[in-house]
């Protein structure tokens, strides 16, 4: 991986290659299917009643306890304390994506 910034197409492909629900489950969050999508206990605050929601079709998560949400890149940034570029690199590696010339 070089320091060349990711372009919009690469970011799109990285999102496509890393389904949010898979990445959330890999982080250890048990997700349960509901009529509105997937729900589980938030990894960002302590709770017994699940308020962490994942909408796979939109690739979006939201926690009603934290009042925070985002996409798969935001989830990785928050769980791993990474910057935007490092989160993209992590997800590219996770999906086995290689960049031109590397
Ligand atoms: Zn939360």
């Amino acid at each position: 991986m070089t320091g060349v910034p990711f372009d919009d197409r690469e970011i799109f492909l990285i999102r496509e290659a890393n389904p949010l629900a898979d990445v959330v489950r890999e982080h250890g969050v048990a997700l349960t299917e509901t009529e509105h999508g997937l729900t589980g206990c938030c990894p960002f605050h302590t709770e017994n009643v699940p308020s962490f929601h994942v909408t796979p079709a939109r690739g979006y998560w939201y926690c009603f306890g934290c009042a925070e949400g985002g996409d798969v890149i935001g989830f990785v940034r928050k769980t791993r304390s990474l910057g935007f570029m490092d989160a993209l690199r992590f997800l590219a590696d996770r999906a086995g994506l290689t960049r031109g010339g590397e």
Side-chain angles (χ1 to χ4, degrees), residues 42-45 47 51-52 63-67:
C42 178
F44 307 120
H45 78 279
E47 65 177 0
S51 54
F52 184 83
C63 173
F64 288 94
C66 301

Side-chain angles (χ1 to χ4, degrees), residues 22-79:
D22 291 356
V23 174
V24 169
R25 284 190 168 110
E26 279 172 22
H27 188 68
V29 180
L31 293 172
T32 307
E33 282 199 48
T34 73
E35 59 183 312
H36 302 297
L38 301 167
T39 184
C41 285
C42 178
F44 307 120
H45 78 279
T46 305
E47 65 177 0
N48 297 317
V49 180
S51 54
F52 184 83
H53 293 256
V54 172
T55 310
R58 290 173 57 215
Y60 194 83
W61 59 271
Y62 185 80
C63 173
F64 288 94
C66 301
E68 283 199 55
D71 63 3
V72 67
I73 298 165
F75 183 82
V76 167
R77 285 188 63 172
K78 205 163 157 57
T79 51

